[in-house]
């Protein structure tokens, strides 16, 4: 990786500022002053800024975030703030959401820089279960449980949805577990039975359960990370 890119990510400053710091002889690689931003570094190199070692990130990273409404799950959006706002980590732009939530959906988002790991969550063939708390506009009826279990015909889709588990909590609230992730899937499932989702909150992905306050994030435990690998 280029030294200026590394410094910009790890110090959280622009390439312009990085170049100023380089020119001011504030950066060393293996105790040699380096002034050129294009200098290539490896994971073995010891990089210091003003005599302090900058730890290189070599391990894969895994976090959970409790997403509030009004934030998009992509790292770059010109219209809306992104979930990157909440993530105070070096090279946060290298993290991606393993399964996105809509702008108005709240709850569990898993973030990682491990593409293989997130693939196990999002790829249809892995059938990773996601559980949502759903609030709806019209009263729920027991007959929906069988309909959701048998599969629904979504607008514009060829196949029925895979078997889903609906647990009715109250007249207007249910918990739904699905094992696929089509575009706006939960909202479209309720639309298919003539209802309308007014609030949607993801509680669980696989066996990883949301346990932090809205707007907070934390690293996943070893056990949580492995729970996806072992699926
Ligand atoms: N299904 C939806 O309709 N929206 C989401 O954000 C997640 C699942």
């Amino acid at each position: 990786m280029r030294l200026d890119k590394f410094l910009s990510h790890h110090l959280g400053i622009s390439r312009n500022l990085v170049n100023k710091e380089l020119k001011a002889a504030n950066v060393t690689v293996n105790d040699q002053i380096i002034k050129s931003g294009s200098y290539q570094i490896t994971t073995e190199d010891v990089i210091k800024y003003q005599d302090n070692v900058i730890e290189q990130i070599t391990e894969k990273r895994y976090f959970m975030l409790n997403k509030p409404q009004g934030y998009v799950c992509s790292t770059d959006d010109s219209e809306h703030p992104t979930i990157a706002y909440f993530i105070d980590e070096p090279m946060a732009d290298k993290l991606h959401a393993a399964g996105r939530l809509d702008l108005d959906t709240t709850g569990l988002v898993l973030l990682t820089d491990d593409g293989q790991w997130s693939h196990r969550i999002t790829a249809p063939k892995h059938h990773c279960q996601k559980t949502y708390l759903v609030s709806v506009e019209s009263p729920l009826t027991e007959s929906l449980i069988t309909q959701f279990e048998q599969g629904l015909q979504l607008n514009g889709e060829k196949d029925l949805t895979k078997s889903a588990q609906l647990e009715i909590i109250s007249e207007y609230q249910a918990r739904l577990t699905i094992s696929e992730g089509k575009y706006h899937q939960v909202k479209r499932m309720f639309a298919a039975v003539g209802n309308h989702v007014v609030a949607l909150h993801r509680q669980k992905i696989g066996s990883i359960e949301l346990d932090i306050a809205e707007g907070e994030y934390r690293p996943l435990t070893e056990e949580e990370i492995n729970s996806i690998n072992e699926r």
Side-chain angles (χ1 to χ4, degrees):
M1 184 193 266
R2 285 175 62 112
L3 180 59
D4 53 3
K5 190 172 174 192
F6 171 87
L7 291 168
S8 167
H9 282 313
H10 281 73
L11 299 175
I13 58 175
S14 69
R15 293 268 187 114
N16 256 349
L17 268 180
V18 164
N19 274 326
K20 284 192 184 136
E21 295 300 330
L22 287 166
K23 295 286 171 285
N26 279 331
V27 178
T28 60
V29 178
N30 305 327
D31 291 325
Q32 300 253 318
I33 292 173
I34 304 291
K35 293 190 173 182
S36 161
S38 63
Y39 185 91
Q40 290 290 326
I41 54 160
T42 70
T43 49
E44 309 300 310
D45 290 329
V46 178
I47 296 112
K48 288 186 191 165
Y49 170 64
Q50 293 183 335
D51 273 342
N52 293 311
V53 174
I54 306 175
E55 294 299 340
Q56 292 212 44
I57 298 163
T58 50
E59 300 271 295
K60 297 281 182 215
R61 297 175 295 166
Y62 309 86
F63 301 97
M64 74 157 66
L65 165 73
N66 187 343
K67 180 182 109 55
Q69 273 202 7
Y71 292 83
V72 290
C73 280
S74 60
T75 43
D76 186 23
D77 190 286
S78 53
E79 261 182 78
H80 303 284
T82 76
I83 53 170
Y85 171 80
F86 299 100
I87 311 299
D88 185 17
E89 298 290 328
M91 313 228 305
D93 61 320
K94 292 277 175 280
L95 299 168
H96 63 269
R100 293 177 179 194
L101 292 178
D102 296 336
L103 184 70
D104 58 351
T105 303
T106 59
L108 179 60
V109 176
L110 298 179
L111 287 155
T112 184
D113 48 12
D114 183 345
Q116 281 185 0
W117 188 82
S118 60
H119 186 73
R120 299 186 80 84
I121 293 170
T122 54
K125 68 173 179 185
H126 292 298
H127 309 291
C128 179
Q129 295 199 321
K130 290 116 193 157
T131 301
Y132 296 86
L133 192 62
V134 194
S135 302
V136 290
E137 200 171 71
S138 310
L140 297 159
T141 55
E142 291 290 322
S143 64
L144 289 173
I145 297 173
T146 320
Q147 281 183 271
F148 275 72
E149 198 181 315
Q150 289 177 345
L152 298 167
Q153 185 63 61
L154 299 190
N155 214 353
E157 299 286 342
K158 190 158 61 75
D159 300 322
L160 293 184
T161 54
K162 298 223 159 57
S163 186
Q165 289 72 55
L166 186 73
E167 183 198 336
I168 297 177
I169 300 169
S170 66
E171 206 176 1
Y172 294 96
Q173 206 171 47
R175 191 169 284 115
L176 178 67
T177 301
I178 58 175
S179 60
E180 42 187 354
K182 293 192 166 71
Y183 182 65
H184 293 331
Q185 173 141 356
V186 176
K187 291 174 185 165
R188 288 163 74 207
M189 286 174 89
F190 280 91
V193 294
N195 210 326
H196 178 69
V197 171
V198 293
L200 188 56
H201 178 77
R202 186 155 65 195
Q203 296 183 313
K204 206 168 161 188
I205 296 177
S207 60
I208 303 175
E209 250 174 290
L210 186 67
D211 59 3
I212 49 175
E214 195 169 84
E216 289 192 353
Y217 80 100
R218 68 161 174 86
L220 295 186
T221 63
E222 279 298 305
E223 199 180 327
E224 286 170 330
I225 298 163
N226 292 335
S227 74
I228 298 294
N229 292 331
E230 286 156 6
R231 293 185 63 257

